[in-house]
């Protein structure tokens, strides 16, 4: 996980080596300037290269990643790429002022994991020309440089007191009490909805009234293979596999919440074709299930950490607070322009996936009333 997070962080730096270009307002023009930090400019072409490289890097780390998943990832990384470029330019300027440097040996060590991944996936590795690898190496260097600047910002955060530790344990306990009560409430609500469905209630109407997901308005979750469902848990996969078209499951955990799923269509790929099956499906990795769902959010209960781990977390919180203050100060000290940011994201999103609405876009979904316990 750390390697993946580091690699994705590095990908946001791909945008760092931009040359001066003429700004335009046509966001589909490769030369269009999207953002400036001081004299540095980020163009549409720079962002395109970042999104392409980000997809290739993720495919190195995730064998079997589909083309559709790659497009979804590109769309989700638009804002990440823009914001990451701004932060990295600010940190690079601060490194220049402080004369902070990164050696070739440090850069080569950081590239070691990437080099090993390259040897394990020849097809993806073929996309990394020597020029791209050289550019990526410089972005690893920039990431290491940024980490040094952040470390200089944070400095020594001091020791954590017993009073702070006790206060945090109490906060965790208070949160868990409310979260557990909320979980009980959500399960009761889901059971009530399931009983209404069993009594003949319309599934789509229940979606509109209760579902808390960002699915489409009619609750279409998508079409999944049996093995994809198993990644959400055996209980969910087996519950879906037992359905006939039109049936629905009991409330089942999955996708970070609780769901009631109804089977709209089950098909099995055979010789490149799709055969409709109306009866109970035979479990096969080739089966595809088109599902509609009613989704209920479940809060996560915090595990009570060991004292040493809690001390580490509290120090990290202090570090993040200092870093945020330092970055806020940097942003105020430099000229940053980002014309029509929402319009940039809209245009780029349409270019990548013009026909698929984003499940991450906020919608008018219902919120269940959560219990609040006395402190």
């Amino acid at each position: 996980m750390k390697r993946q997070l580091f690699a994705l962080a590095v990908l946001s730096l791909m945008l760092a080596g931009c040359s001066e270009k003429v700004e335009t307002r046509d966001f589909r023009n490769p030369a269009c300037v999207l953002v400036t930090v001081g004299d540095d400019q980020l163009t549409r072409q720079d962002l395109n290269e970042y999104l392409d490289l980000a997809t290739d890097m993720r495919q190195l780390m995730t064998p079997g990643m589909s083309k559709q998943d790659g497009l979804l990832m590109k769309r989700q990384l638009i804002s990440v790429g823009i914001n990451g470029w701004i932060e990295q330019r600010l940190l690079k300027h601060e490194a220049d002022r402080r004369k902070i440097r990164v050696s070739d040996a440090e850069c080569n060590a950081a590239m070691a994991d990437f080099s090993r991944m390259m040897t394990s996936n020849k097809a993806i590795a073929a996309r990394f020309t020597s020029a791209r690898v050289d550019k990526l190496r410089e972005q690893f260097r920039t990431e290491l440089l940024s980490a040094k600047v952040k470390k200089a910002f944070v400095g020594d955060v001091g020791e954590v007191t017993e009073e702070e530790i006790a206060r945090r344990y109490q906060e965790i306990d208070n949160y868990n009490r409310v979260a557990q009560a909320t979980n009980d409430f959500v399960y009761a609500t889901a059971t009530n909805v399931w009983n209404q469905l069993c009594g003949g209630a319309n599934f789509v109407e229940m979606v509109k009234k209760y579902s808390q997901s960002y699915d489409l308005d009619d609750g279409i979750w998508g079409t999944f293979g049996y093995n994809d469902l198993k990644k959400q848990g055996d209980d969910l996969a087996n519950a879906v596999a037992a359905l006939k078209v039109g049936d629905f499951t009991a409330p089942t955990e999955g996708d970070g919440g609780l769901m009631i799923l109804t089977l709209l269509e089950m098909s099995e790929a055979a010789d490149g074709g799709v055969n409709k099956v109306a009866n109970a499906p035979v479990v096969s990795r080739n089966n595809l299930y088109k599902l509609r769902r009613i989704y209920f959010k479940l809060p996560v209960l915090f595990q009570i950490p060991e004292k040493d781990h809690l001390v580490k977390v509290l120090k990290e919180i202090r570090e993040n607070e200092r870093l945020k203050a330092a970055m806020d100060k940097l942003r105020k000290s430099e000229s940053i322009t980002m014309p029509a940011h929402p319009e940039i994201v809209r245009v780029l999103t349409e270019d990548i996936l013009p026909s698929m609405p984003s499940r991450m876009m906020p919608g008018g979904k219902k919120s269940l009333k959560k219990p609040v316990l006395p402190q």
Side-chain angles (χ1 to χ4, degrees):
M1 178 59 73
K2 287 183 178 179
R3 184 179 73 182
Q4 292 184 1
L5 291 175
F6 179 73
L8 286 176
V10 169
L11 290 172
S12 69
L13 307 174
M14 159 109 190
L15 312 172
C18 308
S19 58
E20 293 186 5
K21 305 173 182 72
V22 177
E23 180 176 359
T24 72
R25 294 286 175 168
D26 178 8
F27 296 134
R28 288 190 167 89
N29 185 332
C32 173
V33 175
L34 305 179
V35 189
T36 65
V37 176
D39 293 332
D40 297 324
Q41 298 179 334
L42 170 68
T43 68
R44 172 65 191 270
Q45 180 62 34
D46 298 322
L47 187 60
N48 287 346
E49 290 177 2
Y50 157 69
L51 295 173
D52 289 341
L53 186 63
T55 304
D56 288 347
M57 284 290 289
R58 175 59 68 87
Q59 287 180 321
L60 276 175
M61 297 181 292
T62 313
M65 179 179 178
S66 69
K67 180 179 179 180
Q68 184 76 356
D69 286 342
L71 293 174
L72 286 169
M73 177 184 168
K74 280 187 179 183
R75 185 172 62 183
Q76 292 165 359
L77 284 176
I78 292 171
S79 290
V80 174
I82 293 173
N83 294 329
W85 181 84
I86 293 173
E87 178 176 297
Q88 295 307 325
R89 296 319 296 167
L90 292 171
L91 291 170
K92 175 65 167 59
H93 296 170
E94 183 66 16
D96 291 341
R97 286 189 286 269
R98 294 179 180 233
K99 300 188 185 318
I100 296 175
R101 300 289 183 265
V102 172
S103 69
D104 289 342
E106 290 174 306
C107 188
N108 290 336
M111 286 283 290
D113 277 349
F114 170 73
S115 299
R116 282 191 289 270
M117 287 189 290
M118 289 277 285
T119 60
S120 65
N121 192 325
K122 301 296 185 183
I124 301 298
R127 302 179 193 174
F128 287 86
T129 62
S130 59
R132 290 183 88 194
V133 172
D134 288 344
K135 192 167 187 178
L136 184 60
R137 182 184 300 277
E138 288 308 305
Q139 306 322 312
F140 272 93
R141 188 186 300 277
T142 305
E143 169 66 12
L144 293 170
L145 194 66
S146 299
K148 289 186 176 184
V149 175
K150 290 179 180 180
K151 186 176 181 179
F153 279 152
V154 170
D156 183 7
V157 296
E159 296 301 319
V160 176
T161 66
E162 292 296 327
E163 181 181 358
E164 289 177 289
I165 294 171
R167 183 166 60 249
R168 183 48 60 98
Y169 274 130
Q170 186 61 53
E171 290 171 354
I172 293 172
D173 180 66
N174 290 344
Y175 171 85
N176 280 345
R177 290 172 61 209
V178 175
Q180 184 58 60
T182 303
N183 276 345
D184 295 342
F185 175 77
V186 170
Y187 267 92
T189 302
T191 300
N192 176 267
V193 172
W194 181 73
N195 286 333
Q196 292 183 61
L197 291 170
C198 291
N202 181 274
F203 200 96
V204 173
E205 291 304 314
M206 292 294 100
V207 168
K208 293 177 180 178
K209 186 174 182 180
Y210 291 100
S211 188
Q212 296 174 284
S213 74
Y214 294 124
D215 300 321
L216 305 182
D217 287 343
D218 58 0
I220 298 294
W221 188 26
T223 301
F224 304 90
Y226 179 76
N227 288 336
D228 293 328
L229 294 172
K230 281 180 69 69
K231 295 175 184 177
Q232 298 287 344
D234 288 345
D235 289 346
L236 186 145
N238 293 334
V240 170
L243 293 176
K244 295 180 181 179
V245 173
D247 287 350
F248 50 86
T249 68
T252 307
E253 288 191 18
D255 197 22
L258 197 62
M259 295 187 283
I260 301 174
L261 297 156
T262 185
L263 182 62
L264 302 179
E265 180 180 303
M266 199 287 290
S267 59
E268 185 173 349
D271 300 325
V274 177
N275 301 319
K276 305 289 183 181
V277 180
N279 297 322
V282 176
V283 175
S284 166
R285 68 179 183 177
N286 294 323
N287 287 356
L288 295 174
Y289 305 89
K290 184 176 181 180
L291 300 167
R292 174 179 280 137
R293 68 175 179 173
I294 306 170
Y295 180 84
F296 307 87
K297 295 178 183 177
L298 285 174
V300 177
L301 291 172
F302 282 119
Q303 292 185 342
I304 306 299
E306 297 291 339
K307 182 177 179 179
D308 288 348
H309 178 69
L310 182 57
V311 168
K312 182 180 178 181
V313 170
L314 291 173
K315 285 188 174 183
E316 288 175 352
I317 291 173
R318 287 185 185 176
E319 292 172 355
N320 290 335
E321 289 173 346
R322 287 193 181 183
L323 182 59
K324 181 181 182 303
M327 291 304 300
D328 288 344
K329 186 176 180 180
L330 272 187
R331 288 186 177 91
K332 292 177 181 178
S333 69
E334 296 210 39
S335 173
I336 302 174
T337 61
M338 187 161 55
H341 176 263
E343 182 67 8
I344 293 172
V345 174
R346 184 190 67 78
V347 171
L348 270 61
T349 297
E350 290 178 354
D351 286 353
I352 294 170
L353 276 177
S355 61
M356 179 179 288
S358 172
R359 292 180 180 175
M360 300 303 294
M361 293 178 65
K365 293 300 179 180
K366 302 294 186 294
S367 295
L368 301 180
K369 184 177 179 181
K370 296 183 178 181
V372 177
L373 300 181
Q375 299 298 316

